[in-house]
Amino acid sequence: MRVLVTGHKGYIGTVMVPMLLADGHDVVGMDSELFGEDCLLGETEPQIPEFKMDVREVDSKDLEGFDAVIHLANLSNDPLGSLNPSLTYEINYHGSVKLAAAAKRAGVGLFIHSSSCSMYGAAGDAILDESAEFNPVTPYAKSKVLTEQAVSAMAGDGFSPVFLRNATAYGVSPKLRGDLVLNNLTGWAFTTGKVLILSDGTPWRPIIHIEDISRAFMAVLNAPREVVHNEAFNVAVPGENYQVRDLAAMVEEIVPGSKVEYAADGGPDPRCYRVDTSKIEKLLPDFKPQWTARKGVEELYKAYKENNLTEEDLNGTRFQRIRHIEHKQETGEVDSTLRWTSSTDEGELAPESELISSGSNR
Ligand SMILES: NC(=O)c1ccc[n+]([C@@H]2O[C@H](COP(=O)([O-])OP(=O)(O)OC[C@H]3O[C@@H](n4cnc5c(N)ncnc54)[C@H](O)[C@@H]3O)[C@@H](O)[C@H]2O)c1
């Protein structure tokens, strides 16, 4: 299939793109490149034909000729989403709906939205399937609910939206994120010897490796259209719902000399949910997750050692999405709406002919 991946230069995208290419798809990227080379962990990013473009500026002409859009480009976590809630709604909600509408007008048959289990929000100990009530507690999570509802209403003949509600991701990526729970706990352990828990440790979180998230997107691409049409799936792994304190204990066991500690100001965290995975197992049998949290900590620890990760890398502008964005705004490189201030950097659209002829993946 000819697939456009938005946000292909981010944490999940840089791992998903090579997997899509290996699966035989023809892949083009679209990203405003908020996280550049200064956010790389050692490796280089996959090279594919790409638009450097903000999804808010997309026109249906940009999407003609694609069979599917995989939409990853969003402000990607709660702290960043809470920095400026109206901007979060503008990018994550309005931007996503505009993109979906443009895809539908352009005749793109499949629109796979990277949604989130955080929509379930404050849900306590119950194990939730896709019909559970939404209790989003942050602008980020609310933006995901609003987008699902609006894009779902666009479903129809010839346009199949699919909503993949990912669990919290972990794993090594060229565009590592240090703000995700397992990456962060392992990073603290490696750089300081403290496995620092920032909450009271009790919240439940389903977690999943980014390669397994990518496998779910690929399973949707390869599934019969009637099976996935306008469906939402929890993207998680059976047995991989953990309390944060259990993850911390696992990190303590694996990273030599490390010890669990609780941050002095860490209180209860209202974001607490466990999810059921029966629907994805039944309807998308091609989705075969291969990772566990324990294997993930081992992978992260090895990569942190190889790349000499420092505490500043982990908690500063390199790997914390919110710090990076704040820094870019302080230096004036991006404005308060997260648009590049230099006209040479903004929204340039390579001609379609150039994209096709330069495709290294064809
Ligand atoms: N990582 C997780 O735990 C997780 C869990 C559930 C859902 N998700 C969702 O998956 C998607 C990808 O997450 P990620 O972890 O790779 O995030 P990320 O922050 O690493 O990557 C997001 C990418 O989108 C780009 N982007 C942001 N705003 C844009 C805009 N307006 N126009 C064009 N490009 C823009 C950024 O430059 C970046 O490359 C997001 O939608 C996120 O909400 C992630």
Side-chain angles (χ1 to χ4, degrees), residues 346-362:
E346 193 178 279
E348 283 177 60
L349 178 59
E352 180 77 357
S353 52
E354 209 173 277
L355 278 170
I356 293 166
S357 60
S358 67
S360 56
N361 59 323
R362 293 173 69 81

Side-chain angles (χ1 to χ4, degrees), residues 11-12 31-32 34 54-55 72 76 114 140 144 169 177 321:
Y11 174 61
I12 296 176
D31 199 301
S32 60
L34 293 172
D54 194 303
V55 291
L72 305 175
S76 60
S114 191
Y140 168 76
K144 295 288 187 188
R177 281 180 51 189
R321 291 296 184 251

Side-chain angles (χ1 to χ4, degrees), residues 6-13 30-35 53-56 71-77 80 91-92 113-118 140 144 164-170 175 177 180 210 213 217 321 338:
T6 73
H8 72 293
K9 294 216 153 195
Y11 174 61
I12 296 176
M30 179 186 287
D31 199 301
S32 60
E33 298 185 23
L34 293 172
F35 310 104
M53 190 173 187
D54 194 303
V55 291
R56 288 170 289 182
H71 181 38
L72 305 175
N74 265 195
L75 300 181
S76 60
N77 67 14
L80 181 54
I91 294 175
N92 290 13
H113 183 59
S114 191
S115 198
S116 168
C117 288
S118 66
Y140 168 76
K144 295 288 187 188
L164 293 185
R165 296 178 186 163
N166 302 304
T168 299
Y170 64 84
K175 284 281 176 66
R177 281 180 51 189
L180 293 162
I210 41 184
I213 289 183
F217 281 78
R321 291 296 184 251
L338 294 188

Side-chain angles (χ1 to χ4, degrees), residues 109-315:
L110 187 60
F111 183 87
I112 315 178
H113 183 59
S114 191
S115 198
S116 168
C117 288
S118 66
M119 301 165 86
Y120 300 123
D125 286 346
I127 301 193
L128 309 170
D129 69 16
E130 289 79 355
S131 65
E133 238 181 75
F134 301 134
N135 278 306
V137 290
T138 61
Y140 168 76
K142 286 177 193 159
S143 76
K144 295 288 187 188
V145 175
L146 290 164
T147 302
E148 276 203 19
Q149 289 170 343
V151 176
S152 175
M154 292 178 198
D157 278 353
F159 184 69
S160 299
V162 183
F163 308 97
L164 293 185
R165 296 178 186 163
N166 302 304
T168 299
Y170 64 84
V172 175
S173 158
K175 284 281 176 66
L176 183 81
R177 281 180 51 189
D179 48 27
L180 293 162
V181 63
L182 200 61
N183 298 358
N184 189 261
L185 291 170
T186 311
W188 272 108
F190 174 70
T191 60
T192 69
K194 290 184 245 172
V195 191
L196 194 67
I197 301 183
L198 303 172
S199 65
D200 66 4
T202 59
W204 283 99
R205 283 284 185 291
I207 66 169
I208 183 167
H209 195 281
I210 41 184
E211 285 179 12
D212 287 336
I213 289 183
S214 304
R215 287 187 175 97
F217 281 78
M218 295 197 304
V220 172
L221 288 178
N222 296 331
R225 191 61 55 85
E226 63 279 8
V227 170
V228 293
H229 177 82
N230 209 12
E231 292 291 341
F233 296 91
N234 290 339
V235 178
V237 181
E240 293 283 301
N241 286 295
Y242 293 95
Q243 282 182 295
V244 173
R245 62 186 177 207
D246 299 331
L247 294 172
M250 190 186 291
V251 171
E252 188 183 69
E253 267 174 53
I254 293 169
V255 179
S258 66
K259 193 114 201 70
V260 171
E261 277 191 28
Y262 286 82
D265 52 357
D269 183 340
R271 300 167 304 166
C272 176
Y273 43 88
R274 290 201 275 179
V275 298
D276 176 80
T277 53
S278 345
K279 181 172 175 184
I280 194 165
E281 285 167 61
K282 185 165 162 231
L283 295 187
L284 295 174
D286 279 3
F287 171 62
K288 298 231 180 306
Q290 294 179 12
W291 285 82
T292 59
R294 179 167 292 274
K295 225 172 109 184
V297 175
E298 287 163 359
E299 183 206 31
L300 286 160
Y301 174 52
K302 184 164 172 277
Y304 292 168
K305 265 203 299 200
E306 281 167 7
N307 290 283
N308 301 315
L309 183 85
T310 65
E311 189 189 339
E312 198 190 324
D313 292 333
L314 177 74
N315 293 314

